[in-house]
Each structure stands twice: as structure tokens, then as C-alpha cells.
Amino acid sequence: MASSPDILSEDNKKASKRENKRHKAEAQAATPATRVAGIDATDEERLTVTGHGFNTMHDTLGLSRMPQDVMHTPQNINVVPQALMRQQNVKSLDEALRNVPGVTASIGEGAGGMNGDQFLIRGFQAQNDIYEDGLRDFGVYSRDSFNFDSVSVIKGPSSEVFGNGTTGGAINMVTKTPGLQNHYSSEFTGGSGSYYRGTLDINQKLDSSTAFRLTGMGDEHNVVGRDFIYSHRWGIAPSIAFGLGKRATLVLQYMHQQENSVPDFGVPVVTKPGASYGMPITEYGVKRTNWYGTNNDQNATNDNMETARFTYKVNDHITIYDDLRGGQYYRTFAASKATCDTTCVNNYFNGDPAAALVARSGPSGAGNGTGPGTYMAPLPYEQKSWSVQNVASMVANFNTGFLRHQLVAGFDIERVNDVRSQSTYLNPKPYASLVNPNPYVGNLNLVPGDSNPGGLVSLGALHAKDHSSGYGFDTGLFLFDQIWLTKWLSVKGGFRWDRWQTSYNLTGGDVAKNPDSHFHDVSGVFNPNVSLVATPDEHQTYYFTWASSTTPMGMYVTNGSVPIRPGTNSFASPEKSQLYELGAKYSLFHDRIGATASLFRLDKGNTMNADPVTGEVQGSSDRQRNQGLELSVGGIILPGWNITATYALYDSDTTYSATKANRGKNVQYVPHNQATLWSVYNAFAHTPYNISFGGGVTWRQHVWLNTANTLRAPANLDFSAVISHRFDRHWKVSMNGYNLANRLNYQSLFSNRATPSAGRMFLGEVSFTY
């Protein structure tokens, strides 16, 4: 996406032009190997000097609605740049986001079986707030990083930019697009857990303004430290760009990713007799490798997106953008979740571990094992979804008297449809041993739900139905203007209005007992935003921002088992949030180091929660608050020595709840402290015996898993390292080590379960670039 010029001052305009000329000259002078290498000292120094690489302050965000760079956008933004992902050998969106404080992965759940990428930002759901190049990605799948150029997390409510949602923030992936410099690269990775991976990246200039790019990936691996878990996936993403360097530019993209894997719903969280709170059962001697699923479990996804992005520079003051995307998503899903009830807990802790049995589904544990098993949630299903979104916008830079403006205006239209068919098992899932579970349970006789209505899961007042369909249709209008009162002081304000229309239908099952249900809702939503921005010079920015967001019921069309619920009271009202943020951003030492600091308070009302049994997304009258401090620094300490570090201090609590005992309790999934550090040094650069080495640590304090603060996941501490050698301009070998202490960490969390992270693993990589 093209971005508007920096408009801080006339001096800054001139400086920006000089900087752009330097960027262009260096890009033309650099060889393809230098630009793509990512971690050799020459590349890092060049990138950092021009304000890129590990100092992301001058990076654009890849979407027209936020046309300025990170430095001059009055909101806390964490960027995971390409150079960092290359050093860490990042292979998925989940791995990239481990560099961002305040982002937590959660487990999918429920009769609808949510899974794939499910994230929380600052403790609040962001499962519907994942974007690619500024357009929403509605798919429920695990996103591979093979086509990522960078990943940004825009913290706090941003409904005036993105529309409904974004309570904790938005995740935006910037994809690899064609350029006018030819390059050809490939990477081959292998190592622990039978890990095999290959990627391909080809960029070919076709003429003076046209280029073609193709990226591809094949990945097959098991999960170290988890039995029976594997993932096989492949993807391809061709793109072509017309009019590069011209007034009118058109980029056409296609992405296909396909995966066959085994879902991991983790281990049960239990409360030891006499303990004040519960923890994952693996904290009490149960093997971290234990998986409580069955050989019937599967996760097969097939995801496609077609994108067209058009940019037209009308003149030096006005640029018009139009971005269009269609998506088709298919999924077949079957999973198990372990429930260890009171009898199971007592047997394990009171001297008879062999008698401790868990149910593989349903709200009840195995008890004394007298029954045949359970049939309950999560049930298998097939899902077919499609979506289309078009965002048209205009960025205008102009003067009114002595005031200078940057105006952004446009409209956003999107529709998403979802159809699901539940299946059931005629045979119950046998109970599993808590200590030594056996996944081989034989054929459970999977049948369509309408042929076995008694096996369907009851969703409370919605009853037990085997077929669901729904859609969401949003029309949004946005307008915001930044006005420079002086060369260094500006105010930015605007709004977005949305008309959100949603429908949800439940049919099938025992219709005589449970009639079909049809729900429809239309709501108008208005979200304003205002910021005060001070930029004393081009190397520092200070801001205060107030922002709001709204998440109406029915937002989770594709990634929630029950996207809309009946009711007219506060329990069906939209979830609303407000952000107050004071921040500072710096680009120091000739743009070698970028640093940010922010103080924020985020208030949320009508909180939505997921039911621990059925996974229903339910509204509540609860009000929650998260406030704290976030710090980050990234860049080059010395030539060839890069660093990226973050720290977050959070103070969260439930300010009101209908359940009085929950008032004043910490918000689920929000740690009190969290930090990351990564640093690599390239020694003896430009010599045959060059070597790059370094590593880092990721730390997260314990988090509470439920609103009552009676269940919690312990602290995470992960050490990782990398060492690499470059043979020449083209070939490089490297070795990455992860979780070097082989510590028992927990990556994906839910209100009554947690998934152990992978154990110690090593991955070797051979790459070449021409």
C-alpha cells in the first residue's frame, strides 16, 4: 500500500524526500542477497540507518486508513519485522506474536469447535480482529508465516479504523508483494519432532512497471513433548503488480493454505484437595506428553483468499485507495477435551492414580467409571464459509488558512456467511486414564446429527440442533482529520458509523421437542476517536488518545458456536470499551534505535465470556478494566548487533459483576508482568569465518483462567537461541534452539484447560538467495 508523505512540517517534508531518495538509491545498489538475508550485519546496518529493520518507527502499517508511519500514529503499536522473523525462524502467526507483550493464545472450544488462531490482546478477545493488508481475515485456521513481510499489533480500541470489534486491539499481517528488483530464494528446515519445512520466494520483474511474485510453503511436523500431535500443511501465494512507480497501481493476490492436523485441547485444570486454587494437572506429576484425544480427532482446513488493491495518486495532495477481498473457507473438525471431576481428582491425589479416569467430552467427568463413556461437546462438524469485503478510502493533504490537514474518509462494506452441519457419534467416547491415556478407541460410528438427535449438545435455551447458518453484513462510513495547529502540535479526531446486520438460524434435530430458531438483529454503532499529538522534531512524538470500540452480538459469525443469542436486556447488548492512552515514541542515534512508552487505561462493559462447557459466546453485565505500562525498544546497538526488547506491567480487575464474589478479581488471561528480549551479534562480518549468534527470553507471569480467580496457569519462561554462518552472498546455514531449558510452559489457555508448549527442540536451516 502506498502511504502519504510525512506532514509534520515543511522541514520534515524535505527531510522525508531526502530519506526517500536515499532509500531508493540504496535499494538499487543492494544485491538481492543483501536485501533478503535479514540477519547479516551489512543488511541490518543498512536497514537500520534508513529507519527499517529492527527499528520499526518509520515502518508504514500497510493500510490506507492509517497512512502515517508507526512513529506518528498516536497509538501503541508493536511491529514484528521481517528481520526478526528471519532470525527466529518464525513459521506461524502464533510464533510471531510471542514477541508482543499482552497477546495470549486461547484454545478453541464448544459445540462449534472454535480453533485455529484464537488470540487475546490485553486480556480481551481478538479472534475476529485478524487482518491481512488491512482487510479482515474471517477464516478459522492456523496462519502460516510464509507470505508475511511483517506483523503489527495495534493496541487498544480501533473501531473508527477497523469497524466493530478491536476491544483489545487489532492484528494486521502485511504480505509479500511484487517489486521491481528480481530475487529468488528458498529455505529448507529440519529438526526435532520430525520437522520438515521448505519455502520458496520468487520475484520477477516483467517490465519497467510490472512484476510477479510467488511464495510457497510445505510443512510437516510433530510437536515435541506432546504425544500424537502433528500438523501437515502447504500453501501458495502468487501475486502480480501493475503500475509500480506510476500514479495508478494495481496489485492482484491469491492465497491458498491447506492443513491436516490433530487439534490439541490440552490438559484439565484441577484443584488439589486443600489447595486455594487449581492448576493444570501436569503441575502435579502427570506427564506433559499426555494427550486425551482419540484417533477420530482431526482438523482439516482449506482456505482461499483473492485480493485486489488499487491505488491512484490524483495529485500531490490526494490519493485514492480501493481494496477488495473475497474468501472461501472449508473445515472438517473433531476434537476431544478432558474433564477430571471430583472423583477423578480424589482418586489421583489420594493414593489410587490408576483409578483416576477422565471424560473425553462433556461437562461431567468419568466418576467411578461405571458408565460407557460420554457423547457431549465438542461434537464433530463441517463448516463452509465465504466472505467479501471492499474498503474504499481517500487520503487528502491540504491547507485551510494557516492550518494544515490530513483527511482520511471512506466506506467499508463486508459480508460473511457461515453454514455448519453437526455430526454425532453413535458410540460413546470411552473414558481415558488420567495417567496413561490411550487414543485408540476404534470406530465411534460418526453419523449426521439429524439421524441421531439424542446425541446433539443442548445449548441452553437454544436447545440441541444439528444445523446452523448465519451471516453478518456491515456497512461502515469513516472520517477523521488531523489538523496541525503549529508545526509541532496537532489534533486528530474522527468517527466511524456502522450498520451491523446479523442473522442466525438453528434447524434440525428433534424438531417436535425443540422447534427451529431464527434470530435477526440490526444495530447502528457510532465510535469516535480523538488524539492530541506533539512532534517537537522528526525523532520524537508525544500523544494522548481517547478511543472507543463496540462489539455487537453476532460478530463471531465464523469463529463462534453461537454468534448471536436471544434477549433484549444487557446480556444481549453490545460489548463497549474505551481507551485512555498517554504515550511517547523516539527514533534515536540516527534512526538506529526506536523506543516507545505508553500508559493506558482500558475499560470494557457488557463483557462477553465463553461458557466453559458449551463454548457459547455469552454477554454479561460485567465491567472490566486493564491499565498499565508498556515499553519497547528495537534497533542496532553497534554495527551488526541488534536488539528487540519489550516489557508490560498490567493491573487488571473486574470493576463490577452480578456475581459479587468476582468484583475486584483480576481479568482472565492478563498477567501482571510480561517481558521479551532478543539480541543477535554478527562477528567477523565480510570474512569467510563470519558467524552470527544470539538468543533471547520470553517471560510471562502467571495468569488466572476464570473470572472467580480460582484456576490459574503458572508463569512461562522460555529461552531460545540462534547461530548462523554465511558462506557467500547466496548461501547460509543456521541453527535455532527453542525452550532450551525444556521448561513446562503453557501456550494456549482456556477457562478450565491449558495446552503444554512444545519441549526443547532444535531446527537447522539451509537457505539460498539469488
Side-chain angles (χ1 to χ4, degrees), residues 7 68 74 403-407 480-486 488-494 529-535 542-545:
I7 58 173
Q68 297 203 43
L403 299 177
R404 236 163 4 92
H405 299 255
Q406 184 177 69
L407 179 72
F480 37 97
D481 188 11
Q482 186 164 2
I483 305 172
W484 275 258
L485 307 175
T486 69
W488 59 271
L489 183 64
S490 63
V491 61
K492 181 179 180 180
N529 173 291
V530 64
S531 301
L532 183 65
V533 186
T535 51
Y542 306 91
Y543 66 89
F544 174 78
T545 292

Side-chain angles (χ1 to χ4, degrees), residues 438-512:
N438 179 8
Y440 300 107
V441 299
N443 185 2
L444 297 179
N445 287 334
L446 183 70
V447 298
D450 57 0
S451 66
N452 181 35
L456 295 170
V457 176
S458 177
L459 299 177
L462 301 178
H463 308 297
K465 312 298 287 184
D466 77 304
H467 188 79
S468 65
S469 62
Y471 74 86
F473 181 70
D474 183 42
T475 303
L477 301 174
F478 54 89
L479 173 70
F480 37 97
D481 188 11
Q482 186 164 2
I483 305 172
W484 275 258
L485 307 175
T486 69
K487 288 185 177 181
W488 59 271
L489 183 64
S490 63
V491 61
K492 181 179 180 180
F495 68 90
R496 173 163 169 152
W497 175 86
D498 287 89
R499 181 185 182 273
W500 177 253
Q501 178 178 318
T502 188
S503 179
Y504 183 59
N505 306 290
L506 284 165
T507 58
D510 188 346
V511 180

Side-chain angles (χ1 to χ4, degrees), residues 100-225:
V100 180
V103 177
T104 305
S106 63
I107 302 174
E109 179 56 37
M114 295 187 302
N115 207 264
D117 288 330
Q118 306 283 335
F119 299 107
L120 303 105
I121 303 177
R122 291 175 172 171
F124 303 128
Q125 287 287 349
Q127 63 201 49
N128 211 46
D129 300 320
I130 300 177
Y131 295 81
E132 187 175 279
D133 297 316
L135 295 171
R136 203 183 296 264
D137 183 351
F138 290 97
V140 184
Y141 64 103
S142 298
R143 293 159 178 84
D144 195 278
S145 63
F146 76 99
N147 198 38
F148 295 174
D149 192 61
S150 65
V151 177
S152 301
V153 179
I154 302 159
K155 299 283 188 66
S158 303
S159 282
E160 88 288 352
V161 174
F162 295 103
N164 295 324
T166 67
T167 298
I171 299 165
N172 185 51
M173 303 164 288
V174 177
T175 60
K176 297 176 180 178
T177 53
L180 294 178
Q181 186 73 39
N182 293 341
H183 75 257
Y184 317 96
S185 64
S186 186
E187 302 164 1
F188 304 93
T189 300
S192 305
S194 300
Y195 212 116
Y196 306 98
R197 178 181 174 87
T199 64
L200 178 71
D201 186 355
I202 298 173
N203 188 92
Q204 180 66 49
K205 176 183 175 182
L206 302 180
D207 59 36
S208 61
S209 62
T210 307
F212 172 80
R213 190 164 186 173
L214 175 68
T215 61
M217 167 275 302
D219 187 296
E220 178 177 323
H221 67 272
N222 301 329
V223 177
V224 176

Side-chain angles (χ1 to χ4, degrees), residues 268 337-344 357-369 373-378 429-432 612-614 752:
K337 63 178 182 180
T339 302
C340 183
D341 67 0
T342 302
T343 303
C344 170
L357 301 177
V358 299
R360 286 187 164 102
S361 58
S364 301
N368 58 11
T374 54
Y375 299 85
M376 300 293 288
K429 286 184 179 181
Y431 298 132
V613 175
T614 66
N752 57 1

